[in-house]
Structures are given as C-alpha cells and as structure tokens.
Amino acid sequence: MAELGGAPADARHPTISELLEERLNGAPLLTGFSDGNIRQLASIMDGPIRVPQGQILFEEGAPGDALYFILSGSFEVLKRDAGGDTLHRLALLTAGQSIGEVSLLDSGPRSGAVRAVEDSEVMAVPIARLREQPDSPLDVDSRLKINMAYELAARLRRTNEVTVETLRSRLSEAENRVEMSRFIFRLLVGLCFYMFALGVTTALSKVVPDTSLISLPILTGFAFGVYRTVKTSPWPPSTYGFTLKNWRGNALEGIVLSIPVAVLIVLLKWIGVTFIPALQGQAVFDFARSTGLSVGEILLYGSAYCAFTPIQETIARGTQASFQLFLTSKYKTLEAILLSNMLFSATHLHVSILLALAVFPFGLYWGWIFARQGSLVGSSVSHALLGVFGLMIVGIPVF
C-alpha cells in the first residue's frame, strides 16, 4: 500500500479492479458503470494511498489534477474565509464518496482544502490520464447532461464562497453577542456599584463638606470593568483606543481642537459675571483664588486631575467603543457617543448636579475626537487641558 504521494500497492494486495468492485460498489460516480468501464478506470488509477489522520490531501488553490475515491476513513472539506486564517468545515466525506470531482469538469484550482479526519485510504484518478482515454460519440441527451454538469460545477464554486462568507458573518455575530452579554453584565454591575456609592455619598454629605474623594473608588471600579472588557474581547486593544499610532499628531490635534472650546468657556464665564447677579463681581479668570488653596495645593490638584484624566477617558471611550461595536443602526457612532456620555455624566452626580450637566457637552466633544482619531490620546489631552483651564484657571462654578 502506498503512502500519500507514493507508488501503487504491490501485487500481494487486491487488484485495483477488485478494490473498485468490493469497496466502491456503491460510489455515486460509478453508478451504471459496466465491467469494461471499471477495468478502463482501474487501468489509470493510483493507489491505494494511505492518508494519516490530520494530513492534508490537497490545499485550497492547488491545481485540480486528480479525482479521489475514499476507500476507508473520512475527510473534511475546509474553506478559508476571505482575508483571514480561519478554516470553516463545509462537508464531511466518508467511504464510498469522491473528492475533487469538480476537477473533472474544469481546470480551475481547488475551491477548498481536504484533510483526513482519521487514518484513511483513497484511490486517485489523475485527470491527465483520464483525458487521454478515447472519447465515444455523444448523443444530444448526453451532451446536455455534460453541459449541465459544467454549469453546476461553476455554481458549486460560487456557492462555496457564499457559504464561507455566511459562516464568517454568523461567527462574527455570535462573537458580538457573547461580548455584548459580558459588557452588559459589567455595565449593570458598575451601575449598581455606583448607586450604592451615591447613597453613601448622600449620607456623608451631611457630615463631610467635600465628597469628591468618593470619585477615586468609583473611577477604579469602572476602570476595572473596562479593563476586563478589553482583556477578554475578541477585538484588539486598538479597537478601544489603546494605540500609540500617530500619537504625536493626535496629541497636537487634541490641543488645537481645545482652543475654540477654551474660548467658549471664557465667553460663558464673561456672560455669567456680566449678567448673572450671583456671579457679578467675580473675575473672568479666577486662577483658583475662590477656592482658598495655596499655589502648591493648586498644582497638586491640577496634576492629580491630569493623571486621572486618561482613566476617565478609558472608561468613557471604552464604553463608547463597546456600544459602537454592538449597535447596528445607520447612526451608531452618534448613538454610541450619546449613550456613553450619558452614563459618564451620570457618574458625576455624587459631586454635584451642575458638574454632571456641565460634563455632558464636553463629553460629546471628546467622544467626537475619539471617534475621529480612534485613539485615547487626543481626547485625553483635550480633556486634561480643558478640565484644568475651566475648573482652575477660569473657575467655572460647577461644584
């Protein structure tokens, strides 16, 4: 018996004609064959050929130079998805069935790969030898059947491509559903955690003048949820903005895009101190004087704010990226920005309602920057600059 690619078996084994009669008697392609047809086919066949488990009989794209009949064992037909390395099983073929029959009809490359599921044996019919056999005249009926076979072969190749694309799409949908369930679970856990924290903050506000320190455990909890989402996600970290690609350009763009917003902040503060009685008499640029903090304390708070800004952006934009992956509408980017910033704004309620309301429009702007760049760099830079500028230099009264 020959190995894959080896020589035919020696004379001590049954002849090829005997193998065809004994083990391929019910093969669909041999239906109606006379004894003469069997002898003629046996004269050009190679084998038996042993194919060990896991061995590739032929690769996708290889020349279609032979037709195979399975004597024993089984084979799986595999198709690689377009532009990827994932193999999808299209069919399982067992003893008595044929492999690579499309090569009988055209000279195109193999439309899929074939791999042995278990130790198997096949007989090979080289197409070149088959075509050397003398042809007999065909009647109209036979010619129509052959032409129909050619057409079916072409359709089969196209069907294989569509089938793999459908399998790939369904696999992607299944992965999305699994990831969505994880995301929703963590989001609900985070919201419950925040509601408990909000209750604690309300109780503490009666005895502690400043409850902003509660932000630290809240941010830590939400950041951990985003970390787990990114770590277990089938998508790369860059999907959630964790990339340094073009970081200099993104950082510079974040600075430039912050300038018109900074001007708007100054304009709003000027309108407030000019027309709102409660704010009249305040300077447009407060430089944190109204807080009563020393210069050292101002620098410390400013540095801490900038340090925590990437964490805040990780939470908000990680949530935004997750929504954008799962939403399917035409405006999913806009919807993702809105949803993520509604949640992000709500997480500031423990500080003050004014801060939660003020954060929302800025979050929309930073969400747009993130969607534009696909990176956390630009939105984090803008967030840090505008936060320090608005809260400490201009002194927007949101607490």
Side-chain angles (χ1 to χ4, degrees), residues 136-198:
S136 58
L138 298 176
D139 55 25
V140 173
D141 180 64
S142 299
R143 174 54 63 189
L144 285 174
K145 289 177 180 177
I146 290 176
N147 289 343
M148 182 179 68
Y150 278 110
E151 175 63 22
L152 289 176
R155 291 182 184 181
L156 178 61
R157 290 186 183 275
R158 293 194 293 270
T159 300
N160 284 346
E161 299 293 339
V162 173
T163 300
V164 168
E165 181 59 28
T166 301
L167 289 173
R168 188 201 63 77
S169 177
R170 289 181 178 177
L171 178 61
S172 178
E173 289 175 0
E175 290 176 343
N176 282 352
R177 284 195 294 269
V178 170
E179 188 60 23
M180 183 186 296
S181 66
R182 291 173 178 166
F183 170 71
I184 292 175
F185 171 77
R186 290 169 185 146
L187 182 61
L188 291 175
V189 169
L191 289 176
C192 292
F193 166 74
Y194 176 73
M195 292 176 70
F196 277 107
L198 188 61

Side-chain angles (χ1 to χ4, degrees), residues 49-312:
I49 301 172
R50 182 184 297 115
V51 187
Q53 179 182 4
Q55 176 71 50
I56 296 292
L57 182 62
F58 53 76
E59 294 280 4
E60 180 180 349
D65 55 4
L67 163 69
Y68 298 90
F69 289 94
I70 304 174
L71 294 177
S72 64
S74 58
F75 292 82
E76 56 184 351
V77 181
L78 305 171
K79 182 72 175 176
R80 193 179 305 277
D81 60 8
D85 296 326
T86 304
L87 290 173
H88 301 277
R89 178 191 276 194
L90 299 183
L92 180 67
L93 305 176
T94 56
Q97 294 183 285
S98 56
I99 306 172
E101 57 271 19
V102 176
S103 59
L104 281 171
L105 303 173
D106 62 31
S107 57
R110 301 291 191 186
S111 59
V114 172
R115 181 170 62 195
V117 177
E118 56 187 309
D119 291 343
S120 306
E121 295 175 351
V122 298
M123 300 292 293
V125 182
I127 301 301
R129 293 184 203 166
L130 184 61
R131 289 175 178 165
E132 291 172 355
Q133 300 301 301
D135 292 330
S136 58
L138 298 176
D139 55 25
V140 173
D141 180 64
S142 299
R143 174 54 63 189
L144 285 174
K145 289 177 180 177
I146 290 176
N147 289 343
M148 182 179 68
Y150 278 110
E151 175 63 22
L152 289 176
R155 291 182 184 181
L156 178 61
R157 290 186 183 275
R158 293 194 293 270
T159 300
N160 284 346
E161 299 293 339
V162 173
T163 300
V164 168
E165 181 59 28
T166 301
L167 289 173
R168 188 201 63 77
S169 177
R170 289 181 178 177
L171 178 61
S172 178
E173 289 175 0
E175 290 176 343
N176 282 352
R177 284 195 294 269
V178 170
E179 188 60 23
M180 183 186 296
S181 66
R182 291 173 178 166
F183 170 71
I184 292 175
F185 171 77
R186 290 169 185 146
L187 182 61
L188 291 175
V189 169
L191 289 176
C192 292
F193 166 74
Y194 176 73
M195 292 176 70
F196 277 107
L198 188 61
V200 171
T201 303
T202 303
L204 288 176
S205 64
K206 300 177 181 179
V207 294
V208 179
D210 185 6
T211 59
S212 59
L213 289 178
I214 199 70
S215 299
L216 182 58
I218 291 176
L219 286 176
T220 302
F222 275 95
F224 179 75
V226 172
Y227 164 76
R228 290 297 303 167
T229 297
V230 175
K231 187 173 178 61
T232 60
S233 172
W235 297 282
S238 58
T239 304
Y240 300 89
F242 292 97
T243 176
L244 293 177
K245 182 179 180 180
N246 192 33
W247 69 270
R248 290 186 179 87
N250 290 336
L252 179 60
E253 186 176 57
I255 295 172
V256 172
L257 292 175
S258 299
I259 294 174
V261 181
V263 173
L264 179 61
I265 291 173
V266 173
L267 178 61
L268 290 175
K269 180 64 179 294
W270 177 83
I271 293 173
V273 299
T274 302
F275 299 102
I276 300 177
L279 299 180
Q280 289 179 357
Q282 294 186 17
V284 174
F285 293 96
D286 182 75
F287 293 104
R289 287 190 295 265
S290 61
T291 63
L293 299 174
S294 66
V295 174
E297 289 173 329
I298 293 172
L299 292 175
L300 178 62
Y301 275 105
S303 299
Y305 184 91
C306 292
F308 277 102
T309 292
I311 299 177
Q312 291 180 302

Side-chain angles (χ1 to χ4, degrees), residues 371-386:
R372 172 186 172 88
Q373 296 182 350
S375 169
L376 289 169
V377 174
S379 60
S380 296
V381 168
S382 179
H383 188 157
L385 288 175
L386 292 176

